Amino acid sequence: MELYAILKIVWAVMLGVLFIGLGTMVGMDMGVGTLLRFVGRNDAERRTALNIIGPHWDGNQVWFILGGGAIFAAFPTLYGTSFSVFYVVMITLLFSMILRPVAFEYRSKADSRLWRASWDWVFLVSGFVPMFIYGAAFGNILEGVGYHFGWTGQYYQDESFLSYLLNPFAILCGLMSVSLSIYQGGAMLMLRADNPIWARARHYAIAGGIFAAILFVAGGVWMQFLPGFVMQAPVNPAMLANPLHGQSVAIVAGGWMHNFHNHPALWALPVVGVVCMLAGSAMLAAGRTVVAWWLGLGAWAGTIMTVGCAMFPFLMPSSTVPDQSLTVWNSTASEYGLGCMLAVAAIFVPIILSYTSWCYYVMRGKVHTADVVNDTHSY
């Protein structure tokens, strides 16, 4: 296999890793935001929950930036097309995420019940909406998106986002993403809070894990009948980044299951996802929160890898002109660009993992409500 094709595969794997990191770390913070009004029954308890993620939430956003940066640099055609197709969705996502740091900074600035309650609702919206969009976007992509390219390479959108954004399958995927974020956020609250926050978080996190497993299985059964995209003939993996030529694609009922039928070992991935969700809930019930948190990482990994392997090599299929679907082979940067980016990633990704681990190690332990209330510098 040519070096260019190998680099394309490496970056497809790297993109999957970044999506797993985004779901786990950013999803954890979003889950705490979604749960804030339910695990904290008064201002002191809600401030405690906020101070559990307070030292880390902005650092965790680096996974969101890395995901967008990787698509921009390694898959520029995918970046330009997907950000255009999902423009309104992206604006909604960014607006909801912009509200989040504002809520962190201003919630406790005024000693007013109405003021703080209003910001608590902002935390709920800015936690629920981004994770719902994250999952729904995967659902939309699995169903195919209406777009095509003209002979000049100009992108044309064939469907309004309103026609595909909120359909039953995408809603299922969105709710599953929210459920996993609630599981991960609840596990973090259990790790660092005492009762009564601990007990309430345990209740919601267990439910989140079980609900995510049910939705994951339901989505898998649904995909058996969902129209999927299949290559009609072998393509050159080292092909130029030009979606206008070089591939023949058909839409086939159950097409997303072809990779699993051809490589039965891939069935281990959804099994890992479901087992981690259910075993994680069991560990939370037993009070084994550290194990449960890592099983949450396994649940995200099993989910993202299942979707990635089902779709490979497709990245964003076109429902109106399937032959112009964006794939790992036809939407990447140049061989030189992928090589340079890989060198940068080899240096900085270990650094990011190291300082993130160090921060969590240094700021380990329980966060006590009395300490938060008496600290004028806390959130």
Side-chain angles (χ1 to χ4, degrees):
M1 183 177 287
E2 296 183 25
L3 177 61
Y4 191 24
I6 294 173
L7 287 171
K8 290 177 179 180
I9 294 174
V10 168
W11 270 102
V13 173
M14 183 71 76
L15 190 61
V17 171
L18 294 176
F19 282 154
I20 293 169
L22 193 159
T24 304
M25 304 305 289
V26 179
M28 176 180 68
D29 295 338
M30 299 295 181
V32 173
T34 305
L35 290 174
L36 184 64
R37 290 187 59 82
F38 307 105
V39 298
R41 301 288 171 82
N42 54 52
D43 182 63
E45 291 175 358
R46 290 173 185 171
R47 288 183 65 190
T48 303
L50 290 177
N51 280 276
I52 287 174
I53 59 171
H56 309 289
W57 74 269
D58 46 356
N60 290 339
Q61 300 296 312
V62 74
W63 292 100
F64 179 76
I65 297 170
L66 280 175
I71 297 175
F72 171 76
F75 302 97
T77 308
L78 174 66
Y79 177 87
T81 309
S82 63
F83 275 57
S84 298
V85 168
F86 296 112
Y87 180 77
V88 176
V89 180
M90 291 293 181
I91 290 295
T92 305
L93 175 69
L94 290 175
F95 184 72
S96 63
M97 294 187 72
I98 288 171
L99 288 175
R100 188 174 177 76
V102 178
F104 264 107
E105 294 300 327
Y106 285 94
R107 181 191 180 279
S108 299
K109 297 298 184 186
D111 189 14
S112 163
R113 184 175 180 180
L114 177 62
W115 171 269
R116 296 188 177 188
S118 300
W119 286 113
D120 292 341
W121 280 106
V122 171
F123 274 112
L124 192 155
V125 171
S126 63
F128 181 94
V129 171
M131 293 313 297
F132 182 83
I133 289 177
Y134 185 57
F138 276 101
N140 290 148
I141 290 173
L142 282 166
E143 292 179 303
V145 181
Y147 69 90
H148 74 278
F149 298 95
W151 66 273
T152 59
Q154 172 68 45
Y155 147 85
Y156 295 95
Q157 188 158 347
D158 300 323
E159 295 176 331
S160 165
F161 78 96
L162 292 174
S163 65
Y164 56 78
L165 176 62
L166 294 179
N167 60 74
F169 185 74
I171 291 173
L172 182 147
C173 295
L175 291 177
M176 189 207 154
S177 174
V178 171
S179 299
L180 276 180
S181 74
I182 288 175
Y183 169 93
Q184 204 73 11
M188 174 51 68
L189 289 173
M190 289 177 66
L191 273 171
R192 303 202 62 199
D194 296 315
N195 273 322
I197 297 174
W198 186 94
R200 294 171 191 152
R202 176 175 175 268
H203 171 76
Y204 290 110
I206 291 173
I210 295 173
F211 197 48
I214 294 172
L215 293 176
F216 187 58
V217 172
V221 173
W222 199 328
M223 280 182 62
Q224 303 279 338
F225 309 99
L226 199 69
F229 294 74
V230 179
M231 290 289 182
Q232 291 291 81
V235 299
N236 178 15
M239 65 190 297
L240 296 176
N242 183 356
L244 294 175
H245 309 287
Q247 63 187 19
S248 175
V249 178
I251 301 178
V252 180
W256 290 135
M257 310 309 295
H258 276 206
N259 286 341
F260 289 93
H261 295 322
N262 294 332
H263 307 282
L266 294 177
W267 285 104
L269 297 174
V271 171
V272 167
V274 173
V275 167
C276 285
M277 294 171 202
L278 296 178
S281 293
M283 290 294 105
L284 289 172
R288 304 285 298 275
T289 50
V290 175
V291 178
W293 191 93
W294 285 103
L295 286 171
L297 172 61
W300 275 109
T303 303
I304 297 293
M305 291 170 71
T306 297
V307 174
C309 289
M311 291 185 61
F312 188 83
F314 293 93
L315 292 174
M316 194 172 79
S318 168
S319 59
T320 49
V321 186
D323 289 351
Q324 295 184 0
S325 296
L326 296 180
T327 70
V328 173
W329 313 130
N330 69 8
S331 59
T332 57
S334 66
E335 179 178 336
Y336 176 78
L338 293 179
C340 291
M341 284 294 297
L342 184 60
V344 172
I347 296 171
F348 285 99
V349 170
I351 292 176
I352 292 170
L353 292 174
S354 298
Y355 78 65
T356 300
S357 303
W358 181 77
C359 288
Y360 275 93
Y361 176 76
V362 170
M363 288 177 269
R364 65 189 183 279
K366 295 287 186 179
V367 175
H368 302 291
T369 301
D371 296 333
V372 172
V373 172
N374 295 323
D375 186 350
T376 56
H377 297 290
S378 64
Y379 288 109

